[in-house]
Amino acid sequence: MASSLTRDAQPQETPGGGKTFFGHPRGLATLFMTEMWERFSWYGMRGILVLYLTAAVTDGGIGMAESTAVALYGIYNALVYMLAMPGGWIADRLWGARRAVLVGGVVIAAGHYILAIPAEWTFYVGLLVIALGTGLLKPNISTMVGGLYRGSDGARRDAGFTIFYMAINLGALVAPLVVGTLGEKVNWHLGFGVAGVGMTLAVVQYALGGRHLGDVGRVPPTPASPEERGRMLRKAGLWLGVAAAAIAVDVALGTFTLEHVVNVMPVLGIAIPVVYFAVMFRSPGLGDEDRSKVRAFMWFFVTSVLFWMIYDQSGSLLNIFAADKTERTVGGWEFPASWLQSVNPVYIVVLAPLFASLWVALARRGREPGTVTKFALAMLLIGGSFGLMGLAGAAAASSDTGKVTVFWLLGVYLVQTLGELCLSPVGLSLSTKLAPARFASQIMGLWFMATATGNALNGWATKLNEPMGDAAYYTLWGVLAVLGGGAFMVGSRKVRALMGDVK
């Protein structure tokens, strides 16, 4: 499959003694397998998170209200991706991407094993530990993929990232089937523990395959001086102290609620990228050409925020819709709602190689759509998926059973997957191409920050579902996404000019 994507182009740089992985650098196999197992652990836990939160205490859950559980899900997703920013800085300035990924993997595994302990306090501690580890691993493993393709053309790099993206979805495909079944049918904490086993395998695979990565990610590209390290530690300590003091005062007054966190996270989701972009623009080492590319990246960032805000509701509101309003009985047996979280990865595994082949084939003929066009198409598709979801909500409301056939969700996930393939692997590749060398991992962190901001805004957005009802709620966001795609197309000429030589 991969050889058909790139049979006319051999890598100019193949760390690890010239070995290749279906015509790609051999190190891609190491990163592919590591990412696959890491995503198994992440999507396994993600597939049962909201279901566990809303399950009755007598059924082993926490018994949380649906609206609160959905808000917590969005907050957690936002926190995970927000932490990609300091994770990128640590790799760029302190450790290098190689070490950051290794440490992140070990921390994630520890977090899952903490989740496996059957106590409510360990659940929240485990979530925090996983978030910290993912912040170290997620942006930096993608940066290392980009490092394998130094000197390669854009189409080849995009094909490499699409193959890498399949690793994400192979792990995501299997995880809900295994973790979801154990969690829903046997024991929630057993499901969380199995996800930890997957992460442990990721760490082992990464350590054994490191020899194929050559020098990629071995050293930080712009090491921080001792003065810079001290200054950053003081700033981090100050802000952590302020946050801890605010929470302590809230708790002492007896007024602390999850709602306070829900309201703060969207503010952080907007403020953090604004601050990061401002810091980059003020950097004396950033030339005019790099500044222009960072400005172009800002357009893609804003568009991605809306995309991921809509898309990531599949693990919260759509997951609950699958559990409560979707007919899941086959032959007298009701399959777990979390299994539907595997539908999108199945589509990705089937369609990703077709998309990769399509982009390369069109590039050979000089007819490949530009990145701006791909992003605009992604917005139209994600909007269309929620338009379809609005119809599903209306159908459920008018049904005698209050449920609809599973084919509604299968259709919604198909349209979302088509949009995802136009945006996510292309955006990963674009981030590495637009990023100035001194900000490589931090730009990748900003790419993931778009997901964080989208999920943080979900803390507010999803509250509208209950008062509006499914039909009106999903249709509203579908229309806004389509309008966003249209606005992106209107500004496409300016964006292309800012991108310079990046195609």
Side-chain angles (χ1 to χ4, degrees):
M1 177 269 299
S3 60
S4 67
L5 305 182
T6 56
R7 56 176 175 268
D8 293 339
Q10 290 302 311
Q12 297 183 34
E13 191 166 326
T14 55
K19 295 180 180 179
T20 62
F21 174 59
F22 293 103
H24 286 262
R26 180 64 179 84
L28 182 62
T30 296
L31 301 179
F32 180 101
M33 294 298 295
T34 304
E35 181 74 355
M36 184 188 74
W37 283 114
E38 187 274 331
R39 291 290 88 182
F40 173 89
S41 70
W42 165 256
Y43 280 101
M45 183 272 292
R46 175 184 182 270
I48 62 175
L49 179 58
V50 169
L51 302 178
Y52 167 70
L53 291 172
T54 56
V57 175
T58 53
D59 294 329
I62 291 181
M64 189 177 289
E66 182 179 304
S67 59
T68 305
V70 170
L72 178 59
Y73 175 88
I75 289 169
Y76 177 64
N77 269 354
L79 179 63
V80 165
Y81 286 100
M82 281 183 185
L83 289 171
M85 297 304 300
W89 188 89
I90 288 171
D92 279 346
R93 309 304 304 278
L94 300 181
W95 293 350
R98 184 84 64 91
R99 182 181 175 190
V101 170
L102 178 61
V103 173
V106 172
V107 172
I108 293 170
H112 280 291
Y113 291 130
I114 293 173
L115 280 181
I117 301 172
E120 187 170 339
W121 71 268
T122 58
F123 174 77
Y124 293 107
V125 171
L127 286 184
L128 179 59
V129 172
I130 293 171
L132 291 170
T134 305
L136 280 172
L137 185 147
K138 191 62 180 169
N140 297 312
I141 194 170
S142 298
T143 299
M144 290 172 68
V145 173
L148 295 174
Y149 291 90
R150 289 192 295 265
S152 297
D153 61 85
R156 175 178 171 72
R157 180 186 290 244
D158 284 356
F161 268 98
T162 300
I163 294 172
F164 176 72
Y165 202 62
M166 287 183 66
I168 297 174
N169 290 282
L170 284 172
L173 187 163
V174 177
L177 302 179
V178 177
V179 178
T181 302
L182 292 174
E184 291 190 62
K185 298 295 186 180
V186 183
N187 181 278
W188 298 108
H189 295 281
L190 177 60
F192 292 134
V194 170
V197 173
M199 191 62 242
T200 302
L201 291 172
V203 172
V204 172
Q205 156 66 25
Y206 182 74
L208 294 177
R211 65 187 184 277
H212 299 302
L213 297 170
D215 292 329
V216 173
R218 191 178 294 278
V219 297
T222 54
S225 66
E227 294 77 13
E228 288 176 312
R229 294 185 185 188
R231 186 163 57 249
M232 182 55 66
L233 286 174
R234 287 191 295 272
K235 288 181 179 179
L238 172 63
W239 287 110
L240 287 174
V242 169
I247 293 173
V249 170
D250 206 5
V251 171
L253 294 174
T255 57
F256 177 79
T257 66
L258 182 61
E259 200 69 21
H260 293 173
V261 182
V262 171
N263 290 330
V264 169
M265 288 299 286
V267 176
L268 291 177
I270 296 171
I272 291 174
V274 168
V275 170
Y276 259 89
F277 278 119
V279 169
M280 278 191 284
F281 279 121
R282 291 175 58 188
S283 173
L286 203 65
D288 291 341
E289 183 179 348
D290 282 336
R291 290 179 192 277
S292 179
K293 291 178 180 179
V294 172
R295 289 191 184 96
F297 180 78
M298 291 173 65
W299 282 77
F300 294 102
F301 175 88
V302 172
T303 304
S304 300
V305 168
L306 180 56
F307 180 92
W308 293 117
M309 189 185 79
I310 293 173
Y311 179 91
D312 275 340
Q313 292 183 41
S314 62
S316 56
L317 285 179
L318 270 64
N319 203 7
I320 292 174
F321 189 93
D324 298 340
K325 301 179 182 180
T326 302
E327 178 58 55
R328 295 176 284 111
T329 302
V330 177
W333 179 72
E334 187 175 61
F335 64 84
S338 56
W339 279 20
L340 286 170
Q341 296 295 301
S342 289
V343 172
N344 167 258
V346 169
Y347 287 148
I348 290 287
V349 170
V350 173
L351 295 174
L354 300 179
F355 267 67
S357 298
L358 176 64
W359 299 146
V360 173
L362 290 175
R364 289 176 183 150
R365 295 169 174 80
R367 300 177 62 183
E368 182 186 10
T371 303
V372 175
T373 302
K374 292 176 183 177
F375 266 63
L377 181 59
M379 294 304 297
L380 296 177
L381 288 165
I382 199 69
S385 77
F386 259 38
L388 186 60
M389 194 64 209
L391 295 175
S398 62
S399 170
D400 292 337
T401 62
K403 294 185 177 183
V404 295
T405 173
V406 73
F407 290 105
W408 280 104
L409 282 178
L410 295 180
V412 169
Y413 288 141
L414 175 60
V415 178
Q416 287 191 346
T417 301
L418 295 173
E420 181 185 0
L421 285 169
C422 290
L423 182 140
S424 192
V426 176
L428 281 171
S429 179
L430 178 73
S431 299
T432 64
K433 290 185 284 187
L434 289 176
R438 65 184 288 114
F439 293 112
S441 286
Q442 291 175 75
I443 283 287
M444 186 60 68
L446 272 169
W447 169 251
F448 292 116
M449 186 67 204
T451 306
T453 301
N455 276 277
L457 292 173
N458 269 339
W460 289 340
T462 53
K463 291 180 182 179
L464 299 173
N465 178 253
E466 187 172 349
M468 292 181 66
D470 287 341
Y473 174 82
Y474 292 120
T475 300
L476 169 66
W477 289 113
V479 170
L480 290 176
V482 170
L483 292 175
F488 197 68
M489 284 301 294
V490 170
S492 62
R493 183 172 298 180
K494 180 177 181 179
V495 177
R496 291 190 185 98
L498 292 171
M499 292 170 66
D501 59 351
V502 174
K503 304 299 180 183

